[in-house]
Amino acid sequence: MGERYEIVIAGAGPAGAQCARDLAARGYDVLVCETEAEDVFPRTSNKSTAGTFPRMTAAYGVPDDVVMNFTDSVVLESPNDYYKATQPGAVLDFGAFKRWLVAEGRDHGASYQFDARVTKPITEGDEVLGVYINGDEEVYADIVIDATGPAAPLAKALDVVNLRRENHAIGIEYEMENIEVAYDGYADLTDAMMLRLDHDVAPGGYAWIFHTGEDTAKVGLCYIQNARHLDYAQEGRTVDGYLEYWLENDPRLVDAVEIEGRQQHRGSAHIQLPGRMSTDSFMAIGDTVPSVDPVWGEGIHKCMESGRAAAIVADHALTGELDTSAETMALYDDLWHERVAPNVKNRMMLAELLYLASNERYDRFMRDLNRLPKETLSKANAGDRLAMMRLLHLEDAPRLFKFAKERLGLGTGSRFGQPGSPT
Ligand SMILES: Cc1cc2nc3c(=O)[nH]c(=O)nc-3n(C[C@H](O)[C@H](O)[C@H](O)COP(=O)(O)OP(=O)(O)OC[C@H]3O[C@@H](n4cnc5c(N)ncnc54)[C@H](O)[C@@H]3O)c2cc1C
């Protein structure tokens, strides 16, 4: 019989480490198992641009020393136009942020085991009793949480999530210097986070420049390798190839070079409606569910919120008479829809419409944003259908039709209506 904890969490990302931090602060005996070695942590999981906003940094007490640059605007760009909005934010050093979360959890009493790859759950009937680490080491717990991001070894084995290949988004990013942040004819990107909608650079996705001070920035792009991507893709060009193409052709980036000693960031996430997220004695959190926002890819805040929601449910289940039944754990699914991603269906619709549009339509989108009341984008972002309608035109009808067809499952490759999905 292996060691026993009240809660065992697989994965020390924003979701798992925040969940452990909350549970340890409430006095629970919690173990986090992280696959990477501590002396290099995080290396392969250091994947995020880590642009975030005060609603996250203030809510979770993120210290200034993990912030690379405080920003004051968000810029949306199309091939020939742009829209700039005032919006305070912060670009974090994702690696430093992850290490800070681990230290915070430990300060509250959480245990961490690095070099500990969680391979599968230990089960008895419907009951989840613990996890296997590195193949044969056993750890037992009243509640088991999968926070491994898209790897999801526990959630997949328990048939709690069904992460689909056609919903798999990939991203790559370099930390660069010698960038022209204020170039004639483009928006001034000083202290800005910029997202570019342009199928030449990121077919079916988007690219970004997040300013990190002086002439430095994080420069990257992402897309889902599905039919949308193939409509615009150049044959044989890889995600690295698209980034190289952008670096060679954008006048702001032609002299840019990677900063020595800073690693390239690569990662992935699934963009799909979540189905079930829990079962007896088990919850799946963060990008295992997945929780990343389908429109702009903001995942850190959402994943931390999902970690917090799981901590609330674990507290409830372990207080008084132990009750880790599927019914009790399902309170987490309710909290996720209420707090982590309200309006997820509308957000998914917005993402579908946005990434189906042409480069010309992106230019028109920028013109509309510059013409409409300032709050239109933030309302549409929050899933407000009226604001979304204001951004639509007659020329969008075929795309809406295509979308409706797919959503109703009449077309091929529908991303909706998967088993257990709340559609
Ligand atoms: C290129 C890119 C850019 C991004 N930019 C932004 C951004 O600017 N702002 C933003 O808010 N979000 C951004 N995101 C999204 C955000 O980074 C993710 O949504 C978030 O990191 C997910 O957190 P998580 O804790 O669910 O999972 P992860 O961050 O994936 O963490 C999972 C952890 O589990 C560990 N692990 C994996 N498998 C196992 C296993 N079997 N056993 C034990 N441990 C395991 C991993 O090593 C890792 O430490 C970006 C993502 C990518 C890929």
Side-chain angles (χ1 to χ4, degrees), residues 11 13-15 34-35 45 47-51 98 118 148 286-287 297-300:
E34 166 58 44
T35 190
S45 68
K47 61 182 182 182
S48 188
T49 317
K98 284 187 74 164
V118 171
T148 56
D287 275 349
E298 189 190 354
I300 296 174

Side-chain angles (χ1 to χ4, degrees), residues 10-17 33-36 41-42 44-45 47-52 94 98 116-119 147-153 169-173 193 206 208 210 221-222 265-269 285-288 291-293 296-303 306:
C33 305
E34 166 58 44
T35 190
E36 292 200 58
F41 177 77
T44 44
S45 68
K47 61 182 182 182
S48 188
T49 317
T52 192
F94 192 59
K98 284 187 74 164
R117 192 166 76 86
V118 171
T119 42
T148 56
I170 51 171
I172 176 172
E173 168 182 278
M193 295 188 219
Y206 57 88
W208 62 84
F210 283 14
L221 60 89
C222 67
H265 306 160
R266 286 166 194 275
S268 70
I285 66 175
D287 275 349
T288 301
S291 303
V292 64
D293 179 69
W296 303 120
E298 189 190 354
I300 296 174
H301 188 199
K302 296 205 166 285
C303 291
S306 83

Side-chain angles (χ1 to χ4, degrees), residues 158-188:
L158 295 167
D159 217 9
V160 168
V161 299
N162 175 13
L163 299 174
R164 296 168 160 211
R165 254 168 83 97
E166 68 269 24
N167 301 334
H168 191 220
I170 51 171
I172 176 172
E173 168 182 278
Y174 299 163
E175 291 193 33
M176 309 200 79
E177 59 189 347
N178 224 12
I179 289 168
E180 293 266 9
V181 280
Y183 193 87
D184 240 15
Y186 290 84
D188 184 350

Side-chain angles (χ1 to χ4, degrees), residues 78-402:
S78 63
N80 301 297
D81 208 344
Y82 66 84
Y83 166 76
K84 187 168 188 172
T86 303
Q87 166 90 62
V91 182
L92 308 181
D93 177 327
F94 192 59
F97 170 66
K98 284 187 74 164
R99 287 189 294 273
W100 167 76
L101 272 176
V102 171
E104 276 284 300
R106 279 178 165 154
D107 281 353
H108 286 109
S111 303
Y112 270 83
Q113 187 174 340
F114 285 85
D115 264 325
R117 192 166 76 86
V118 171
T119 42
K120 59 179 187 177
I122 303 171
T123 54
E124 194 175 276
D126 286 343
E127 215 29 43
V128 180
L129 303 178
V131 296
Y132 288 102
I133 300 171
N134 298 329
D136 56 1
E137 189 185 334
E138 297 173 10
V139 175
Y140 290 82
D142 295 319
I143 294 177
V144 170
I145 295 177
D146 192 339
T148 56
L154 304 174
K156 282 180 190 163
L158 295 167
D159 217 9
V160 168
V161 299
N162 175 13
L163 299 174
R164 296 168 160 211
R165 254 168 83 97
E166 68 269 24
N167 301 334
H168 191 220
I170 51 171
I172 176 172
E173 168 182 278
Y174 299 163
E175 291 193 33
M176 309 200 79
E177 59 189 347
N178 224 12
I179 289 168
E180 293 266 9
V181 280
Y183 193 87
D184 240 15
Y186 290 84
D188 184 350
L189 300 185
T190 307
D191 298 331
M193 295 188 219
M194 182 278 275
L195 297 170
R196 183 175 179 91
L197 294 165
D198 182 344
H199 295 298
D200 291 339
V201 172
Y206 57 88
W208 62 84
I209 299 176
F210 283 14
H211 189 215
T212 46
E214 298 177 359
D215 66 350
T216 71
K218 296 186 180 183
V219 182
L221 60 89
C222 67
Y223 52 76
I224 301 183
Q225 272 173 306
N226 59 8
R228 243 50 104 241
H229 168 74
L230 293 176
D231 283 349
Y232 297 102
Q234 299 290 321
E235 211 184 321
R237 193 173 282 174
T238 60
V239 70
D240 297 66
Y242 280 106
L243 186 50
E244 289 303 331
Y245 169 83
W246 191 29
L247 294 173
E248 283 162 18
N249 289 284
D250 190 310
R252 298 166 293 185
L253 303 173
V254 282
D255 294 326
V257 287
E258 284 183 65
I259 300 173
E260 224 182 291
R262 300 293 291 184
Q263 71 177 99
Q264 294 180 0
H265 306 160
R266 286 166 194 275
S268 70
H270 288 77
I271 307 292
Q272 64 181 53
L273 280 174
R276 192 160 67 116
M277 303 173 204
S278 61
T279 186
D280 299 75
S281 309
F282 178 81
M283 289 178 274
I285 66 175
D287 275 349
T288 301
V289 174
S291 303
V292 64
D293 179 69
V295 185
W296 303 120
E298 189 190 354
I300 296 174
H301 188 199
K302 296 205 166 285
C303 291
M304 292 182 67
E305 288 286 292
S306 83
R308 178 152 283 176
I312 291 168
V313 174
D315 191 16
H316 179 69
L318 299 176
T319 301
E321 200 176 321
L322 182 84
D323 175 9
T324 59
S325 62
E327 200 183 5
T328 296
M329 305 318 282
L331 290 172
Y332 164 68
D333 300 41
D334 297 340
L335 275 183
W336 190 94
H337 283 286
E338 204 179 293
R339 293 186 180 195
V340 179
N343 279 325
V344 65
K345 278 193 269 179
N346 288 355
R347 303 279 304 142
M348 195 65 87
M349 185 167 87
L350 191 63
E352 288 275 340
L353 291 175
L354 199 63
Y355 298 114
L356 271 175
S358 64
N359 273 359
E360 294 70 36
R361 183 65 184 87
Y362 288 152
D363 285 336
R364 188 169 186 190
F365 179 49
M366 298 305 144
R367 288 199 295 279
D368 287 343
L369 288 174
N370 282 310
R371 176 179 59 79
L372 288 164
K374 261 196 347 220
E375 61 281 6
T376 310
L377 182 61
S378 49
K379 281 188 176 170
N381 260 335
D384 181 315
R385 277 179 188 249
L386 197 65
M388 283 161 69
M389 293 307 286
R390 289 183 129 178
L391 292 168
L392 291 174
H393 292 279
L394 200 59
E395 65 176 278
D396 298 319
R399 275 204 315 285
L400 277 168
F401 179 67
K402 188 175 175 192

